[in-house]
Amino acid sequence: MASVNSIYGLFADPDAADRGVNALRHAGVAQDQIVVMSSEPHEGHAFSLLDHKTIMPWLAALGGVVGGACGFLLARYTQVAYPEPLITGGMPLVAPFPSAIVTYELTMMGAVITTVVTLLITARLLKWKQPLYDSEISYGKILVGVLGPSGAARTDLENRLRSAGAEKIKTTGQL
Amino acid sequence: MTTKTPEQINEDLLRPLEGTSPRYLAALTFFVLVVLAGAAAFLHQVYAGLGVTGLNRPVFWGFYITDFVFWIGLSHAGTLISAILRLSNATWRRPVTRCAEVITVFALSIGAMFPVVHLGRPWLAFWLFPYPSERGIWPNIRSPLLWDFFAINTYLLGSVTFLVLPILPDMALVRDRTTGWKKKLYHVLSLGWTGTPRQWSRLEMAMRIMAVAVIPVAVSVHSIVSWDFAMAPVPGWHSTIFAPYFVCGAIFSGIAALIIAMALLRKFLHLEDYLLRIHFENLGKLLLVMSLLWFYFVFAERLTTWYGNGSSEMAVFWPTQSGSYAPLFWAMVVCNFVIPFPILAIKKLRTIAGTVVASIGVVIGMWLERFLIIVPSLSHKYLPYSYGSYRPSFTEIIITVATFAGLAMLYMLFSKIIPIISVWELKAGEVTETATAPALARPEQVRAD
């Protein structure tokens, strides 16, 4: 699966993984080169806070507004689009309560769809070929590694990961 | 809960995906055959027309609409309960949520099928959809039946999403443990999940947003289903209490369905270490609250009708209390209140077996309730000369039975493809509980202090 140059350690527990991330930072590895992967979220550990910020709630709200507007316009258009003028006995042509119900449902649908799309894009899903992955993650190991390190730094990074508690060190590509 | 290592959790929860026992295959074959019988009955109805049903003037809504309301109600088992438990951060929810969410998706799909089954010409179902029509025939946006279209689709989309998103990490788990075509399948299904902090934090955020969004949608769905009735000036239907009454009944039947499903999964998938008595006891308490609430609604609705003493309302009221529908009405009261109340109120009886017995009663009782809301009112509308009766035909009975088999079949298939308990959530829960539980001081330390 892996085709890029990388070096990574597999850690048995999240505290050691935290130490591994810190060791890489102290070695001067840029944040966007550090990769962490785990089979659990491990909330409360420092590495779980990497890439934490998201505007997903705001986008969901925006999606809701757009959905609601579409819902209202659909409801309104459906009511006024009859080819013949409707006789409504003095009642408003665009009925407020039914329009509100359709608007409400499509507001929620807009929020749901936007949330899913935002998740797919911002979590970088739908990319089936990953540059780095190790199936031992599914057996409880936590992967902490570096993407694209220089060949000269290999020994230093390996030592740092090992002293942080990595059980195994692996490399990919032409290091 | 007995503390298990992550590897033990993996093995226990992924075991059902590995092989199929003869017992499983026999049960699945049985359910498939019943579903095929239902499909054959439907095709016969399409070919011969609605005349093969018991529907006739004045009762044009019978078993199919009863089933529609029942299944939509049952769908409140999952997403709504799961979302509430997620938002309230109830730690005991972890083994329960996916079992519940699956019921929602399947029950809702089955329920949404019934308006089409009920159509005389189902191939024209698209006429109900609100789209620009070249025929000049526009769906009436003022009709509650059209509101159903929007509400059910929104809820279905939300529920499917709510179910699928937390499955992704488990799909990756299965992907890494399988080979051959299975690995390829799970590779696609996992959508490229690797478990980076970015993916975890986005997933958590998405689930929080979904939980907030899906609760009001779930409430709206059954409110709108109730308005299919309450908006019509039909005796027994035109009531302001109908929306909360329906939502209450939906949650009531949903919890009951969840308890039955959990008990079956526990027994047949050997999940005794995960679906514990505490889960049944907690859900039993919720069921007790809903039973009391349901009884309150029924009493309030009946009292108001009886006190008002309107002639058209009483024409519906008395047949259900002491007339031809009375056996069904009192069976409903027994199933929904008389049986569950003592079982669930007395702690000694609130066992796994006890909650299952109560739940079976509730599911039967709630189906009867849906029937009693629909048929007596339609058969006793304002003008006595138009009074009528309804007797379901064999076709309707077969299709109804087939939907129950359909749910069982879908549930069985699902549990063979996807872990029925969320593996990563359970492991995360084990870690959180271990990490946050304060260490108990030894008695001698307490005495020394």
Side-chain angles (χ1 to χ4, degrees):
Chain A
M1 181 179 278
S3 57
V4 298
N5 293 344
S6 72
I7 178 165
Y8 62 88
L10 292 167
F11 294 80
D13 69 279
D15 291 329
D18 259 350
R19 288 197 298 275
V21 172
N22 285 333
L24 294 178
R25 281 177 178 161
H26 285 125
V29 179
Q31 185 64 56
D32 58 355
Q33 279 184 289
I34 298 176
V35 180
V36 181
M37 293 175 184
S38 61
S39 63
E40 294 168 47
H42 291 298
E43 282 175 21
H45 289 276
F47 69 81
S48 72
L49 298 174
L50 297 170
D51 284 333
H52 201 64
K53 285 184 180 169
T54 174
I55 54 166
M56 194 186 282
W58 295 105
L59 290 175
L62 183 66
V65 171
V66 173
C70 291
F72 177 75
L73 291 174
L74 176 70
R76 187 182 180 282
Y77 180 68
T78 307
Q79 289 166 95
V80 298
Y82 279 89
E84 298 292 326
L86 272 182
I87 299 164
T88 59
M91 297 294 283
L93 194 61
V94 179
F97 281 102
S99 301
I101 289 169
V102 175
T103 304
Y104 169 79
E105 294 297 339
L106 289 195
T107 299
M108 303 316 260
M109 191 184 269
V112 168
I113 292 171
T114 312
T115 303
V116 175
V117 172
T118 309
L119 173 73
L120 293 176
I121 294 169
T122 63
R124 293 167 191 163
L125 291 170
L126 302 176
K127 287 181 181 173
W128 282 275
K129 284 191 176 174
Q130 297 293 338
L132 177 61
Y133 188 72
D134 193 308
S135 59
E136 284 201 53
I137 293 165
S138 287
Y139 292 83
K141 298 288 185 283
I142 301 167
L143 182 154
V144 178
V146 183
L147 276 178
S150 63
R154 173 183 171 159
T155 314
D156 178 42
L157 293 175
E158 193 174 322
N159 288 337
R160 283 174 186 268
L161 287 171
R162 203 179 296 283
S163 61
E167 290 186 340
K168 284 182 197 169
I169 304 289
K170 294 186 181 179
T171 56
T172 62
Q174 302 295 317
L175 268 178
Chain B
M1 183 185 288
T2 53
T3 308
K4 296 220 172 204
T5 63
E7 199 44 43
Q8 280 174 317
I9 293 175
N10 284 346
E11 277 179 24
D12 289 349
L13 299 183
L14 300 182
R15 194 190 321 115
L17 279 61
E18 284 165 6
T20 47
S21 65
R23 196 168 58 165
Y24 172 89
L25 286 174
L28 186 65
T29 307
F30 172 75
F31 290 130
V32 168
L33 288 174
V34 178
V35 170
L36 287 175
F42 174 65
L43 288 176
H44 170 63
Q45 179 187 298
V46 170
Y47 179 75
L50 278 178
V52 298
T53 67
L55 299 170
N56 209 335
R57 200 167 53 187
V59 183
F60 288 115
W61 285 4
F63 260 37
Y64 295 151
I65 301 300
T66 302
D67 292 335
F68 165 69
V69 180
F70 172 78
W71 284 112
I72 299 288
L74 208 73
S75 74
H76 281 57
T79 308
L80 183 62
I81 296 165
S82 173
I84 291 169
L85 294 178
R86 265 180 206 281
L87 284 180
S88 59
N89 210 14
T91 50
W92 62 271
R93 76 169 200 276
R94 292 176 194 276
V96 175
T97 47
R98 189 168 298 161
C99 307
E101 289 157 10
V102 177
I103 295 179
T104 293
V105 171
F106 291 150
L108 200 56
S109 306
I110 291 171
M113 199 176 68
F114 270 103
V116 179
V117 173
H118 182 71
L119 290 177
R121 287 181 281 177
W123 55 92
L124 297 179
F126 67 94
W127 281 14
L128 291 167
F129 304 166
Y131 70 102
S133 165
E134 75 283 359
R135 300 180 308 276
I137 302 168
W138 288 83
N140 185 359
I141 215 94
R142 296 175 191 81
S143 164
L145 299 178
L146 195 65
W147 308 345
D148 277 336
F149 174 82
F150 290 102
I152 291 172
N153 281 311
T154 302
Y155 190 43
L156 189 58
L157 178 74
S159 300
V160 170
T161 310
F162 203 64
L163 171 70
V164 167
L165 294 186
I167 281 176
L168 297 179
D170 285 350
M171 291 289 92
L173 190 72
V174 183
R175 173 196 64 198
D176 293 345
R177 288 162 171 268
T178 46
T179 53
W181 67 269
K182 276 189 177 178
K183 191 175 185 69
K184 284 180 188 164
L185 174 70
Y186 288 109
H187 181 63
V188 174
L189 291 178
S190 65
L191 304 185
W193 180 272
T194 53
T196 60
R198 169 184 277 264
Q199 289 183 339
W200 284 118
S201 73
R202 299 299 184 278
L203 178 64
E204 291 279 348
M205 179 57 75
M207 288 307 292
R208 244 175 280 157
I209 294 170
M210 292 298 302
V212 170
V214 90
I215 293 173
V217 172
V219 172
S220 78
V221 170
H222 226 65
S223 299
I224 288 172
V225 169
S226 83
W227 293 334
D228 289 345
F229 304 97
M231 293 296 150
V234 172
W237 286 3
H238 198 51
S239 161
T240 54
I241 207 173
F242 252 39
Y245 176 36
F246 267 56
V247 173
C248 164
I251 299 172
F252 189 31
S253 61
I255 296 170
L258 175 58
I259 289 174
I260 295 169
M262 279 170 51
L264 292 173
L265 291 171
R266 187 177 190 272
K267 170 119 180 101
F268 292 110
L269 299 184
H270 304 291
L271 298 174
E272 289 87 353
D273 290 341
Y274 298 91
L275 297 171
L276 306 174
R277 182 175 165 167
I278 184 76
H279 298 121
F280 290 87
E281 205 171 308
N282 287 346
L283 286 171
K285 286 176 193 167
L286 276 177
L287 195 66
L288 173 64
V289 171
M290 297 315 296
S291 177
L292 290 165
L293 203 55
W294 175 87
F295 187 77
Y296 164 72
F297 271 116
V298 171
F299 180 76
E301 202 239 349
R302 298 274 147 180
L303 175 70
T304 314
T305 305
W306 175 77
Y307 207 84
N309 201 26
S311 57
S312 57
E313 296 276 339
M314 298 314 279
V316 178
F317 180 82
W318 285 120
T320 58
Q321 303 302 297
S322 55
S324 53
Y325 295 105
L328 293 179
F329 178 83
W330 294 110
M332 171 190 80
V333 173
V334 168
C335 288
N336 282 348
F337 188 74
V338 177
I339 293 175
F341 179 72
I343 291 178
L344 300 170
I346 300 167
K347 197 178 177 189
K348 269 191 179 177
L349 299 178
R350 207 167 48 228
T351 57
I352 294 175
T355 52
V356 170
V357 169
S359 299
I360 291 170
V362 170
V363 169
I364 295 168
M366 286 310 296
W367 192 92
L368 290 174
E369 192 214 44
R370 303 330 191 177
F371 181 83
L372 287 166
I373 285 171
I374 295 165
V375 174
S377 288
L378 285 178
S379 55
H380 295 86
K381 282 206 268 191
Y382 293 99
L383 300 172
Y385 79 85
S386 70
Y387 285 0
S389 61
Y390 165 74
R391 188 179 290 272
S393 71
F394 186 65
T395 307
E396 288 167 286
I397 293 169
I398 284 288
I399 289 176
T400 299
V401 171
T403 56
F404 284 89
L407 182 76
M409 181 191 77
L410 292 170
Y411 216 91
M412 287 181 77
L413 289 172
F414 183 90
S415 66
K416 278 288 163 196
I417 299 169
I418 289 161
I420 199 71
I421 292 178
S422 176
V423 181
W424 69 268
E425 284 189 277
L426 201 72
K427 284 197 276 189
E430 292 265 326
V431 170
T432 311
E433 277 166 31
T434 317
T436 54
L440 286 175
R442 289 198 301 274
E444 58 269 25
Q445 283 179 320
V446 175
R447 278 196 296 275
D449 290 341

